Amino acid sequence: MTRHPIFIAGPCVIESAELLDTVAEEIVRLNRLFGTDIVFKASFDKANRTSIHSFRGPGLEKGLQMLADVKSRHGLRILTDIHESHQAAPVAEVADVLQIPAFLCRQTDLLIAAARTGRTVNIKKAQFLSGSDMRYPVEKALDAGAQEVWLTERGNCFGYNNLVVDFRNIPDMLDIVPTVVMDCTHSVQRPGGGGGKTSGDRRFVPQMALAAKAFGATGYFFEVHPDPDNGLSDGPNMLRLSDLAHVITTLL
């Protein structure tokens, strides 16, 4: 039987319990429909927003409780990101996958803390690194005892409020780890291009996923929202929740 790729999906940031339940219910439906095991993703804190006035989320304690509720009610695996070393241990009590944000992928203490939890560590490739450069963050995590490390491609930034994806990074990173995820929504961002916030173009999300498949990606990351135009973070590049089923169908 062909092994399904890894799918990760959920809202950019925890906005409300109602939003989490709406997205989780659709993910459960899709898991039953496709026989998949989509990992639920949401951030308790967006610590790297463009503006000091941007919405960040409910914070560590409340956010973890909300993610624990999703896990308990819907039976989904959970992925969330950490920004500081002290967050690793409490987050690992809830999350199955600890994600290292792209800008922080060289932070040695953060990688070590995540690795020592025993949870899967998903390291997002920095916007300023090549795929082959990611062997060094992986080496740090493995040396600290990580049992499973994923790498995620999310494009490269050359300034001027845009990202470029070099899909050759995917096979380069597959030479380092067996699981390489394509972040299909953050790769269509226009960082800081929205007048103090990030803009983007969700039209290209399905094509990003298919191009990544052609280059051998073994996983796909989608930030989704039932009403992304009114989302509190990364709305312009989030995929509409109602479109997720079609995109997954094309990848399967």
Side-chain angles (χ1 to χ4, degrees):
M1 185 173 73
T2 302
R3 178 179 176 267
H4 282 321
I6 292 166
F7 290 105
I8 302 162
C12 179
V13 66
I14 298 173
E15 299 178 15
S16 66
E18 292 75 18
L19 171 66
L20 297 187
D21 278 335
T22 297
V23 176
E25 287 167 5
E26 175 65 0
I27 288 175
V28 169
R29 185 185 77 83
L30 296 181
N31 278 337
R32 291 173 179 160
L33 178 65
F34 295 120
T36 49
D37 181 22
I38 302 169
V39 181
F40 183 91
K41 181 270 169 186
S43 297
F44 57 82
D45 181 19
K46 302 301 292 184
N48 57 352
R49 296 298 304 275
T50 302
S51 170
I52 189 66
H53 303 294
S54 297
F55 179 76
R56 287 182 56 167
L60 178 66
E61 185 175 347
K62 184 177 179 182
L64 285 182
Q65 183 56 60
M66 295 170 81
L67 291 174
D69 290 344
V70 168
K71 190 171 192 175
S72 173
R73 281 199 297 270
H74 302 285
L76 295 170
R77 290 195 292 158
I78 301 293
L79 177 150
T80 195
D81 35 7
I82 60 173
H83 293 84
E84 300 180 66
S85 301
H86 71 83
Q87 295 174 339
V91 170
E93 293 179 12
V94 174
D96 302 272
V97 184
L98 272 58
Q99 182 166 278
I100 307 299
F103 282 128
L104 301 178
C105 76
R106 289 173 51 140
Q107 295 296 103
T108 302
D109 290 344
L110 186 63
L111 289 163
I112 289 172
R116 286 178 175 169
T117 67
R119 296 297 194 181
T120 298
V121 180
N122 181 37
I123 310 173
K124 299 189 81 172
K125 182 184 73 63
Q127 298 91 328
F128 48 83
L129 292 179
S130 71
S132 58
D133 286 330
M134 292 304 293
R135 69 180 64 254
Y136 303 109
V138 170
E139 184 180 75
K140 292 176 183 180
L142 293 177
D143 190 67
Q147 299 300 304
E148 184 174 16
V149 178
W150 303 348
L151 290 176
T152 294
E153 166 63 35
R154 53 100 71 244
N156 283 76
C157 189
F158 300 93
Y160 310 105
N161 309 120
N162 212 343
L163 291 169
V164 176
V165 177
D166 182 348
F167 289 95
R168 295 173 297 179
N169 284 325
I170 293 173
D172 283 347
M173 290 192 290
L174 284 168
D175 288 338
I176 304 168
V177 294
T179 301
V180 173
V181 178
M182 179 66 200
D183 185 338
C184 305
T185 45
H186 284 101
S187 59
V188 301
Q189 279 182 334
R190 294 185 182 274
K197 59 183 179 181
T198 290
S199 62
D201 195 339
R202 72 177 67 93
R203 288 180 304 158
F204 300 115
V205 170
Q207 290 87 347
M208 286 290 183
L210 288 171
K213 180 178 180 178
F215 278 85
T218 58
Y220 304 91
F221 179 113
F222 302 100
E223 286 192 334
V224 295
H225 195 288
D227 183 16
D229 289 333
N230 289 302
L232 298 181
S233 178
D234 273 355
N237 47 270
M238 277 196 287
L239 189 68
R240 287 187 177 86
L241 182 61
S242 58
D243 292 334
L244 181 59
H246 175 71
V247 175
I248 290 177
T249 298
T250 66
L251 296 169
L252 294 178

